[in-house]
Amino acid sequence: MKVLKTVEAVRAFRRSLSGSLGLVPTMGAMHEGHLSLVRLARERCDAVLVSIYVNPTQFNSTADYQTYPRALEDDLAMLTSLDVAAVFQPTDRIIYPDGMVTTVKVAALGAHWEGAYRPGHFDGVATVVARLLNITTPDLACFGEKDYQQLLVVRRLVRDLNMAVEIIGGPTIRETDGLALSSRNALLTATERSRAPHLNQALDNAARLIGRGRPAPQVLEDEMAALTDRGFEVDYLALVDGATLETISDPKPGARLLVAAHLGSVRLIDNRAL
Ligand code: AMP
C-alpha cells in the first residue's frame, strides 16, 4: 500500500493505473463503518484510494477539531489488510495552499439541520470533497448514509459541477446495541457510552409509532422529551423528505428521520429510513 502525501504523487499514482479507481474520503480513526466503504469501493473498482485528512474547515468548533480522534498508525494497519492500493494523507498546506479562497456552497441542502447547527460545516465539506475529487479523479467515491445530509450535499455538488464521478452511499454500520459507529464514540465516558444507544432507539421508536399511524409531530416531541430525560441535549429530531430534507408531518415514500444530540461534550448524529 502506497502512502501518498502530495498532489503530484497522487497524480502519478492515478496515471499508473490501468483500471478503475474508487475513492473513500475519511478523517481517519477508522472503524468498521469506514472499512465497509472500502470493501464497497473494492467490489466496484480495480483499485481503492483512501484519503485520511481531518479537514479543519468543516469544524465549527476549535475544541471539536483539536479533540477529534487521530490514529494514523492503526488506520494504516487496518487498510493494509483490506487490499487498499494507496492512502492519500495530505497536510493542510497541500489541500489549502492559498487558504480557503475558492469555496463550494451547496445552498439549499447545506442550510438545514447540520448546516444550521454547525454554520459553515457543509461549505467546508463541499470544498474539501471537491478538492479531493479533483486531485484524485476517481471513477466512483463512497460515502456513508450515517452522514445522510452530507451524502446528499456531495451528490448535489457532483451533479451541479458536472464532475465525472459516481457517488455511492453505504449503509450505516452499528454496534450490536444499535449505536452507529463513529470516530467520536471514543470520546464518550463509560456512562455516556451506556446511554448512547438511546439515540438509535429513539429513531426506531419514532419509525414504529409513525408507521402505525400516530401523528409524527407528537411522536417526535415525545421521543425528544425521552432523550432529554436520559441526559441528551437534543438539537433536532425530525421527519424529513429524504431528497430535499424539508420537514414533513406525514410519512411518505423516501421519508427519513434525522437526529442530532449532545451527550456530555460529544455531539452524535444518526438517521434512518422511515
Ligand atoms: P469520517 O471519517 O467521519 O469523515 O467518515 C468517513 C466516511 O465514513 C463518511 O462517508 C461517513 O459517512 C462514513 N461513515 C462514518 N461512520 C459510518 C458508519 N457507522 N457506517 C457507515 N459509514 C460511516
Side-chain angles (χ1 to χ4, degrees):
M1 186 174 74
K2 294 192 169 81
V3 178
L4 312 170
K5 303 215 171 185
T6 63
V7 174
E8 295 69 30
V10 174
R11 296 241 154 97
F13 163 76
R14 186 70 179 102
R15 281 195 301 273
S16 76
L17 298 175
S18 49
S20 58
L21 176 68
L23 172 70
V24 181
T26 81
M27 298 206 296
M30 301 281 170
H31 50 64
E32 265 307 313
H34 298 112
L35 304 186
S36 71
L37 296 179
V38 172
R39 291 191 194 98
L40 200 58
R42 188 65 191 85
E43 278 164 23
R44 300 278 304 261
C45 293
D46 299 310
V48 177
L49 173 63
V50 175
S51 62
I52 301 179
Y53 176 56
V54 184
N55 172 37
T57 67
Q58 72 188 71
F59 286 81
N60 56 318
S61 143
T62 313
D64 188 25
Y65 175 66
Q66 282 168 349
T67 58
Y68 194 84
R70 290 156 169 92
L72 190 61
E73 284 194 9
D74 291 348
D75 290 348
L76 296 179
M78 280 190 230
L79 295 175
T80 307
S81 65
L82 279 187
D83 193 18
V84 168
V87 169
F88 179 36
Q89 191 219 329
T91 58
D92 294 340
R93 272 172 164 273
I94 298 290
I95 297 294
Y96 300 111
D98 305 307
M100 197 164 91
V101 176
T102 304
T103 63
V104 181
K105 186 183 198 71
V106 181
L109 278 174
H112 302 276
W113 313 117
E114 286 305 279
Y117 282 89
R118 305 181 65 191
H121 170 65
F122 284 120
D123 298 349
V125 168
T127 301
V128 80
V129 169
R131 288 183 184 220
L132 289 171
L133 291 174
N134 281 335
I135 292 168
T136 61
T137 62
D139 298 283
L140 68 81
C142 296
F143 292 83
E145 281 182 7
K146 156 75 169 47
D147 299 284
Y148 186 77
Q149 187 173 8
Q150 169 173 282
L151 176 60
L152 294 195
V153 164
V154 170
R155 283 195 199 284
R156 186 66 195 248
L157 145 82
V158 161
R159 198 173 87 202
D160 286 357
L161 298 186
N162 299 96
M163 299 175 97
V165 59
E166 185 184 354
I167 302 301
I168 308 279
T172 301
I173 307 299
R174 299 178 180 280
E175 301 279 8
T176 47
D177 60 14
L179 176 65
L181 296 189
S182 163
S183 306
R184 287 190 177 86
N185 293 351
L187 303 173
L188 295 167
T189 65
T191 312
E192 289 161 0
R193 174 63 189 82
S194 68
R195 290 183 181 169
H198 287 300
L199 200 65
N200 174 51
Q201 284 160 21
L203 291 175
D204 289 348
N205 287 341
R208 196 180 60 249
L209 294 170
I210 295 169
R212 280 190 203 151
R214 289 262 310 273
Q218 186 61 52
V219 168
L220 298 174
E221 201 177 297
D222 293 349
E223 290 301 328
M224 273 197 272
L227 282 172
T228 306
D229 285 348
R230 289 177 166 131
F232 290 81
E233 192 190 312
V234 184
D235 281 347
Y236 57 83
L237 170 60
L239 178 64
V240 301
D241 178 302
T244 64
L245 300 183
E246 300 289 351
T247 302
I248 54 174
S249 15
D250 295 311
K252 65 173 187 179
R256 202 100 197 161
L257 286 159
L258 306 178
V259 68
H262 298 259
L263 198 49
S265 62
V266 184
R267 189 168 177 283
L268 300 173
I269 60 171
D270 202 349
N271 70 88
R272 60 161 285 165
L274 195 60

